[in-house]
Amino acid sequence: AFDAYIHLLKAFAAKFPGNALTGFQATCIGLFALQIGNFRLKPTHSIALSFFEGFLRFCLSFYGEWNCHYRQYAIDLSMGGRFLERMNTSWRSELYFMCAEESMRTRPDERMNVAHSLDPALVCLEAWALLDRAFVGDMALPTPGRAAASAPAAIVSPGSGVVASAAADVGVAVGAAAPGPAAAIRAIA
């Protein structure tokens, strides 16, 4: 199931021009969505497809400027996944492996922002379009740009060493059953 999920993430990223969303960036965001529990297992979906729908919903909410969004928070894949205060607002979006950065004593201005080339507006729009095509009937999708999601339970200042408990579900709530995996795979293509 996990291999299929990673394959779906990379197929989604392959649709983007240039480096608007790379396969590595999609994989990192996909891992974060799993870490914070942003998915719902459904009897009508494979595990991989349930994970992928959660990833798309996370992208829709986080990159769609709802209450908890990329302009306010950075993503940290360390310590089970958490949100951090933004460190450098010159980037459109930020994603770090903060434990690795801190263990190597990397200066804040030299930290590797995995999401340096990510285009938040395009990621949100493509996530919304794919959810609309592949998960039709699951629920009414909000239009990108309208506030509708909850903020994380806790935010961590970089270097504080405090583990944040991220929102259990940053994405929009999931409704009834949707079509099977074949529809999602066809919609990506």
Side-chain angles (χ1 to χ4, degrees):
F2 188 74
D3 289 349
Y5 175 53
I6 300 301
H7 179 73
L8 287 169
L9 294 172
K10 289 182 177 183
F12 180 68
K15 294 177 45 164
F16 287 82
N19 288 331
L21 180 67
T22 66
F24 183 64
Q25 290 167 338
T27 301
C28 289
I29 296 165
L31 291 174
F32 181 74
L34 290 181
Q35 286 178 315
I36 65 170
N38 197 73
F39 63 91
R40 293 211 189 353
L41 296 176
K42 298 179 182 178
T44 57
H45 291 155
S46 68
I47 294 171
L49 194 58
S50 294
F51 288 171
F52 186 61
E53 182 181 5
F55 160 79
L56 292 173
R57 291 187 187 287
F58 175 80
C59 289
L60 177 64
S61 65
F62 189 71
Y63 294 111
E65 298 189 38
W66 276 263
N67 292 338
C68 172
H69 60 81
Y70 71 96
R71 289 185 194 270
Q72 294 176 314
Y73 304 110
I75 293 172
D76 178 17
L77 286 174
S78 306
M79 305 178 87
R82 60 187 179 162
F83 292 99
L84 301 173
E85 293 176 7
R86 290 287 306 261
M87 289 171 262
N88 185 341
T89 56
S90 66
W91 298 112
R92 291 183 285 189
S93 182
E94 293 178 281
L95 189 153
Y96 299 96
F97 291 93
M98 195 54 69
C99 282
E101 299 286 0
E102 290 171 350
S103 71
M104 294 188 302
R105 296 188 175 116
T106 308
R107 290 190 348 231
D109 63 322
E110 292 181 354
R111 291 182 175 153
M112 179 60 199
N113 175 14
V114 174
H116 67 279
S117 65
L118 188 143
D119 183 338
L122 189 55
V123 170
C124 175
L125 186 61
E126 288 294 328
W128 180 81
L130 186 53
L131 279 164
D132 192 43
R133 284 192 316 271
F135 297 94
V136 175
D138 219 23
M139 63 172 271
L141 293 172
T143 304
R146 292 180 51 202
S150 61
I155 304 300
V156 177
S157 296
S160 69
V162 178
V163 177
S165 64
D169 185 356
V170 177
V172 181
V174 178
I185 294 167
R186 281 193 306 273
I188 292 172

